[in-house]
Amino acid sequence: MTPESYKAERVRRGLSQAALAALVGVSRGCVNYREAGHPRYPITTEAWLAICSLPQATKRRSRKGQNNAIIQPHEN
């Protein structure tokens, strides 16, 4: 459980730091510190399991003049 793998899991699920924080019940700063490897906010087993339990997002095709948007996560 490295800061890089924690961030990769968040990005894979299509979540911002604020969105992840709201889903798992921590502050956005806590997520930011975890991704930066701050020793006061370690990535605990519980934190890792929480992010891994979230469904992954799927992308939809972009429309002219718009970026690729993230839609609702699919059910596993």
Side-chain angles (χ1 to χ4, degrees):
M1 293 178 285
T2 65
E4 294 80 17
S5 61
Y6 187 82
K7 181 177 181 178
E9 286 299 319
R10 174 182 62 79
V11 171
R12 185 175 294 129
R13 282 151 174 74
L15 298 169
S16 66
Q17 289 181 345
L20 174 61
L23 287 170
V24 299
V26 299
S27 69
R28 188 206 57 82
C30 180
V31 173
N32 185 35
Y33 283 136
R34 284 176 179 164
E35 290 181 0
H38 195 283
R40 185 167 178 183
Y41 297 90
I43 302 169
T44 62
T45 302
E46 291 82 7
W48 181 251
L49 291 173
I51 195 171
C52 289
S53 70
L54 298 172
Q56 292 186 17
T58 58
K59 291 184 179 183
R60 70 176 171 193
R61 295 188 315 191
S62 67
R63 296 181 185 148
K64 186 176 179 180
Q66 295 180 353
N67 294 330
N68 286 341
I70 302 295
I71 58 172
Q72 294 293 333
H74 66 281
E75 298 286 327
N76 287 340

